[in-house]
Amino acid sequence: MRVLEGNVVANGTKVGIVASRFNEFIVSKLIGGAQDALIRHGVNDDDITLAWVPGAFEIPLTAQKMAETGNYDAVICLGAVIKGATTHYDYVCAEVSKGVAAVGLKTEIPVIFGVVTTDNIEQAIERAGTKAGNKGYDAACTAIEMVNLIQNMK
Ligand SMILES: Nc1c(NC[C@H](O)[C@H](O)[C@H](O)CO)[nH]c(=O)[nH]c1=O
Ligand SMILES: CC(=O)[C@@H](O)COP(=O)(O)O
């Protein structure tokens, strides 16, 4: 049986990161986690490009623009959507999740969903480098694995 699988080893991998400034306290920790994972798995710091957007809603368009340049093997989307008093949360979460998935399918490179969507600030903190790990780190490992997997499929 031929098994297709990606290693978590970077080989000249070029990565774009789109990060939303809303809840920057959390998102900056996700960026730190992603950068740490990329570098520790062999990505050169010079091969990482970070684009800031105002909020998670703006992530998909920016991820698409980045992916369409052809300069990146993967794009990692980082953000923090935290539930407030109204239904705004649901609209932002729906659009960013659908949008990120659509960009991956359209551009045919891995576009990774590293956006935390939480009921409260405590849950977000737990996922930004404390008791539930760092979702930015996890997203970066996923990006490297997916780049490898797709290379192995050729
Ligand atoms: N409430 C959160 C937002 N809201 C802002 C939107 O993402 C968007 O920037 C605005 O509606 C303009 O289009 N964004 C987050 O990333 N996180 C939130 O908790
Ligand atoms: C997820 C959000 O957009 C959130 O911050 C909005 O809060 P609110 O529903 O209280 O306006």
Side-chain angles (χ1 to χ4, degrees):
M1 183 172 62
R2 185 168 174 238
V3 176
L4 294 169
E5 210 170 9
N7 295 320
V8 191
V9 177
N11 255 327
T13 309
K14 296 191 171 25
V15 177
I17 299 176
V18 184
S20 47
R21 201 173 278 111
F22 208 106
N23 296 316
E24 189 271 344
F25 173 79
I26 301 294
V27 180
S28 60
K29 300 293 182 195
L30 302 179
I31 295 168
Q35 188 181 20
D36 182 39
L38 293 172
I39 288 169
R40 288 215 264 145
H41 289 90
V43 177
N44 293 319
D45 198 42
D46 288 346
D47 289 336
I48 307 171
T49 302
L50 169 66
W52 282 104
V53 297
F57 193 86
E58 284 70 44
I59 287 175
L61 173 62
T62 314
Q64 184 163 307
K65 290 287 181 193
M66 270 189 133
E68 283 174 350
T69 64
N71 294 337
Y72 307 102
D73 299 301
V75 176
I76 300 169
C77 301
L78 302 176
V81 192
I82 302 175
K83 205 168 181 40
T86 72
T87 56
H88 190 73
Y89 170 89
D90 302 305
Y91 293 100
V92 175
C93 288
E95 291 314 309
V96 65
S97 56
K98 269 190 294 165
V100 167
V103 174
L105 294 174
K106 180 169 181 204
T107 62
E108 298 194 345
I109 65 166
V111 180
I112 309 301
F113 187 63
V115 179
V116 297
T117 57
T118 65
D119 288 337
N120 51 53
I121 290 173
E122 288 70 26
Q123 287 181 349
I125 292 170
E126 284 167 10
R127 287 154 182 78
T130 61
K131 76 178 195 191
N134 185 310
K135 297 298 175 190
Y137 189 100
D138 297 346
C141 292
T142 301
I144 296 170
E145 181 174 340
M146 285 301 295
V147 169
N148 264 262
L149 171 64
I150 288 168
Q151 278 167 359
N152 291 344
M153 287 174 139
K154 286 173 186 163

